[in-house]
Amino acid sequence: MFKKILAASIALTAVNAFALDAPIVGNVESKCVVTLDKQGVFGNPTSSELSTDAADGGVAPVIRYDVVIADSYKAVVTHPSAFSQSPALNDTVTWTGSTDVDAVSDAQMSAYDTSKVEYDNTTEIDLEFTGSTWFAVSSAADYGVNKALPGGTYTAIVEANCIAL
């Protein structure tokens, strides 16, 4: 009888096999950090225009990219194409803008202005060198044809990302 119980126990153990998931966890910290170094301000040079150009009374926002590993990231900066906050507008707003190197920690980074790729309202730059690069983002909004902008607060967003390659 004992042999039958032992055989049955062994058979049940084989049927009741257990599985185990053993997770492997890792955390990756980006080696590219994006920070806002200078807040942008719209100037109002004419009744129908807002601009970050200093000649128009504006201030272009400056975005800093700090890169620890070269050739591993690209900067993607998108200048505004709409207001995120504004009074009610009943006509078209035409947007223009650009992203340009403002300062660098390594002279080789100055080449980013000539190697950048621009499309729509976005600029992409391969971050080929370690160190810091400051990008100035200009933006202008022109309202309608011969229309004055209504009084109020106007806000537009520059989107700056660091994308791993």
Side-chain angles (χ1 to χ4, degrees):
M1 175 97 175
F2 177 71
K3 290 182 181 177
K4 288 183 181 180
I5 293 173
L6 182 60
S9 294
I10 292 172
L12 284 175
T13 302
V15 171
N16 290 330
F18 293 98
L20 172 70
D21 292 334
I24 299 172
V25 178
N27 293 313
V28 176
E29 289 187 30
S30 178
K31 304 299 185 223
C32 179
V33 178
V34 183
T35 55
L36 176 63
D37 256 27
K38 186 188 296 181
Q39 179 70 44
V41 177
F42 280 122
N44 188 208
T46 68
S47 63
S48 65
E49 185 179 4
L50 294 172
S51 169
T52 58
D53 191 324
D56 295 336
V59 176
V62 176
I63 311 295
R64 185 179 82 218
Y65 283 79
D66 297 314
V67 177
V68 177
I69 300 175
D71 288 320
S72 296
Y73 298 94
K74 70 177 173 181
V76 180
V77 182
T78 303
H79 61 81
S81 61
F83 291 113
S84 59
Q85 174 190 344
S86 70
L89 302 173
N90 58 11
D91 205 343
T92 304
V93 178
T94 303
W95 290 86
T96 57
S98 65
T99 299
D100 299 297
V101 172
D102 187 57
V104 295
S105 65
D106 181 333
Q108 296 177 88
M109 295 171 174
S110 296
Y112 291 164
D113 265 342
T114 57
S115 64
K116 65 187 175 184
V117 176
E118 298 173 298
Y119 55 92
D120 301 325
N121 59 325
T122 299
T123 302
E124 292 187 5
I125 304 109
D126 286 335
L127 301 172
E128 300 171 323
F129 307 103
T130 58
S132 299
T133 308
W134 291 260
F135 294 100
V137 184
S138 67
S139 182
D142 191 15
Y143 182 57
V145 177
N146 297 321
K147 287 212 172 183
L149 287 159
T153 300
Y154 291 79
T155 304
I157 304 297
V158 171
E159 186 177 329
N161 294 293
C162 194
I163 308 297
L165 300 176

